[in-house]
Amino acid sequence: MIKIGILGVGTVGASVANILETNADIIEARAGKKIVVKAGVVKNLSKDRGVSITLSDNPSDIVDDPEIDIVVELMGGVEEPYELVKKALQNGKAVVTANKALLAYHRYELQEIAGNIPLMYEASTAGGIPIIGALRNGLTANHIESIQGIMNGTTNYMLTKMINEGALYDEILKEAQELGYAEADPTFDVGGFDASHKLLILASIAYGIDAKPEDILIEGIQKITATDVDFAKEFGYEIKLLGIAKKTKNGVELRVHPTMIPSSSMIAKVDGVMNAVSVVGDRVGETMYYGAGAGGDATASAVVADIIDIVRGNHGPMLGYKKGLEGGGLELLSKENITTNYYLRMEVDDQPGVLAKVTNSLDTFGISIESMLQKPHVEDGHVKLLFTTHKCQEAKIEEAILAFKKLECVHGKIAMMRIEK
Ligand SMILES: NC(=O)c1ccc[n+]([C@@H]2O[C@H](COP(=O)([O-])OP(=O)(O)OC[C@H]3O[C@@H](n4cnc5c(N)ncnc54)[C@H](OP(=O)(O)O)[C@@H]3O)[C@@H](O)[C@H]2O)c1
């Protein structure tokens, strides 16, 4: 019999306890052993969790209990779970976690501490979708060319409503909060930070990149306006908050930002709270993974799958490689060196010659326009100028935006969004 201790019996922890009990027959058949929860840890012992397991408010009752074989960390946070997971591993216990924030900051240290002890984390990225398993196992014959995905359900729900129903950002954020999709402080989701944690985990497995959220480009969906949405529709794009990891000849691009993608692409069709990740391998081509990225049962499904894999003895190295990947030589590309297509929106004077000034400015930085739209709606004698560019370097776009700001014919803020084709 295998004994489990659960640190954190909240949304996911209670679902894990419930699945282990109600699906015990199929789990035992697949694992080859009976798996039972010995105890769980919470902060507030008086709250009903809806599960019949022994509860304590002392994490040491789990990490230091010699009878517990596998510690499941589902409490959230960064430093406290780090210390507890470290202790559990040092005590020789296998660990399963769904904690993306913990891994975004400490995955390489934990890999070192774990050594040959299993440390599994399928649920940390895209909840119930087995994307970690795909990268760690199914795609190991491939050099990974790119990973691109919708890794946050809250923002995808909001963007779907903004695009399909013309809802405004503030209205839809309120609705998402009322439905329980967005937290009272939504910054972690709408600011792109949650997606960045997941992207970093995937990039470690695919490329061995040891970066932290502060090291990569992260932009949220807060600045998207109805004008951007209309433009996207008119030019055949959807707007999605994507996590993108891409191997280029100069290094690996890692970025999270609202992205215009062709409406015909598979990822563009992923609506509502669902997640989807596309992985391109050099031999397999494009593979696609779709499903629930959050929710108690969907996330617990991935946690329990990790527990079963550990019991079966099916675990490899934590990040999926035993020696440095790609000769150990892949570097994170700096933000300025990212290369893609861009969309720009600005307000300009409604006068002859203005367009020439703007296009000349772009020419100076070697940027060429792909498509352009002038909105007839005039405010204070200004019109909205929207255009997309051919591929260019992020640094050039930033320089061009600075130059536009200095032009007398350009007013207010200049918006920029990246396009992936
Ligand atoms: N929810 C999802 O859909 C989802 C999806 C993917 C990944 N995850 C990850 O899974 C983890 C758990 O998420 P969740 O939604 O289940 O969180 P949650 O509902 O807030 O549950 C957290 C649990 O941990 C307990 N806890 C927190 N700090 C503790 C401490 N210092 N000592 C003892 N107990 C403590 C809490 O106790 P009290 O209840 O007494 O406060 C609660 O039972 C997080 O890392 C999250 O990022 C969640």
Side-chain angles (χ1 to χ4, degrees):
M1 186 194 289
I2 297 294
K3 291 190 178 161
I4 307 288
I6 306 178
L7 296 171
V9 188
T11 308
V12 183
S15 283
V16 167
N18 185 275
I19 292 176
L20 284 170
E21 193 185 331
T22 51
N23 284 3
D25 53 348
I26 195 105
I27 291 170
E28 183 174 346
R30 290 192 168 126
K33 285 187 184 159
K34 199 173 173 60
I35 302 174
V36 294
V37 179
K38 184 177 178 207
V41 162
V42 292
K43 272 200 275 199
N44 178 359
L45 280 172
S46 59
K47 197 163 137 194
D48 178 26
R49 313 285 162 172
V51 285
S52 54
I53 59 171
T54 306
L55 291 178
S56 141
D57 58 4
N58 181 4
S60 167
D61 288 347
I62 284 179
V63 295
D64 295 320
D65 179 346
E67 279 193 6
I68 286 180
D69 305 290
I70 303 175
V71 171
V72 178
E73 187 279 302
L74 298 168
M75 52 194 266
V78 177
E79 295 313 323
E80 194 179 5
Y82 173 63
E83 292 305 326
L84 291 170
V85 167
K86 192 163 127 182
K87 191 81 193 296
L89 291 167
Q90 285 164 344
N91 286 342
K93 298 181 194 310
V95 173
V96 176
T97 180
N99 189 335
K100 56 225 156 196
L102 165 70
L103 297 172
Y105 285 95
H106 291 301
R107 60 203 181 283
Y108 284 91
E109 290 134 281
L110 287 173
Q111 173 175 246
E112 192 73 26
I113 297 163
N116 290 326
I117 298 171
L119 170 46
M120 308 278 275
Y121 49 96
E122 180 62 71
S124 66
T125 300
I129 306 177
I131 181 67
I132 305 278
L135 281 170
R136 282 179 83 239
N137 304 313
L139 299 174
T140 43
N142 292 262
H143 291 274
I144 303 299
E145 291 176 353
S146 68
I147 302 170
Q148 186 166 295
I150 296 169
M151 301 176 189
N152 180 273
T154 309
T155 45
N156 202 50
Y157 173 82
M158 293 175 63
L159 288 172
T160 302
K161 289 266 182 177
M162 286 165 75
I163 302 251
N164 294 355
E165 296 170 21
L168 294 175
Y169 175 85
D170 290 330
E171 284 167 19
I172 204 63
L173 175 59
K174 195 161 166 275
E175 187 190 307
Q177 284 168 326
E178 280 162 10
L179 287 169
Y181 293 151
E183 302 288 333
D185 174 5
T187 322
F188 188 59
D189 288 319
V190 298
F193 303 106
D194 172 72
S196 79
H197 290 174
K198 297 164 184 171
L199 182 71
L200 286 166
I201 295 168
L202 298 181
S204 293
I205 307 170
Y207 304 113
I209 296 281
D210 183 4
K212 298 210 164 24
E214 303 72 67
D215 305 325
I216 69 168
L217 190 158
I218 306 173
E219 275 175 24
I221 65 166
Q222 303 96 319
K223 291 185 191 155
I224 299 172
T225 65
T227 310
D228 306 327
V229 168
D230 288 348
F231 177 90
K233 275 188 186 164
E234 203 162 333
F235 281 78
Y237 294 112
E238 290 279 335
I239 301 175
K240 297 288 181 194
L241 181 75
L242 292 188
I244 298 171
K246 208 185 266 184
K247 191 168 88 175
T248 73
K249 61 180 188 320
N250 302 318
V252 177
E253 290 184 4
L254 287 188
R255 45 195 170 100
V256 174
H257 51 70
T259 315
M260 287 193 191
I261 48 172
S263 309
S264 55
S265 67
M266 279 168 77
I267 275 199
K269 299 185 195 315
V270 175
D271 282 344
V273 290
M274 301 309 273
N275 282 198
V277 184
S278 147
V279 181
V280 179
D282 63 344
R283 295 306 167 111
V284 70
E286 183 175 18
T287 58
M288 193 68 194
Y289 310 84
Y290 167 89
D297 273 2
T299 310
S301 156
V303 171
V304 174
D306 277 349
I307 295 173
I308 294 172
D309 260 355
I310 291 172
V311 177
R312 283 165 163 174
N314 262 358
H315 59 88
M318 180 191 160
L319 295 173
Y321 43 87
K322 296 192 171 191
K323 291 166 79 176
L325 280 175
E326 310 261 8
L330 284 182
E331 297 279 331
L332 175 67
L333 204 68
S334 65
K335 295 170 196 171
E336 312 81 64
N337 285 320
I338 285 167
T339 306
T340 191
N341 299 71
Y342 293 86
Y343 155 84
L344 292 172
R345 161 172 54 84
M346 63 184 73
E347 280 187 24
V348 296
D349 287 332
D350 189 15
Q351 282 169 7
V354 166
L355 206 53
K357 279 187 191 151
V358 170
T359 49
N360 285 345
S361 221
L362 283 171
D363 271 355
T364 319
F365 298 102
I367 302 168
S368 60
I369 293 180
E370 191 183 57
S371 59
M372 181 178 282
L373 185 70
Q374 183 175 314
K375 284 271 178 190
H377 182 67
V378 181
E379 273 165 16
D380 307 329
H382 305 160
V383 289
K384 283 196 173 111
L385 201 56
L386 318 164
F387 49 89
T388 62
T389 74
H390 287 286
K391 271 196 174 169
C392 67
Q393 243 185 357
E394 181 103 359
K396 295 286 169 203
I397 279 287
E398 279 171 7
E399 285 176 49
I401 290 174
L402 283 178
F404 287 143
K405 284 182 179 161
K406 290 183 188 148
L407 292 176
E408 277 180 14
C409 59
V410 177
H411 305 278
K413 289 197 175 130
I414 299 167
M416 178 267 270
M417 203 183 303
R418 297 164 192 86
I419 303 173
E420 288 292 315
K421 299 200 178 187

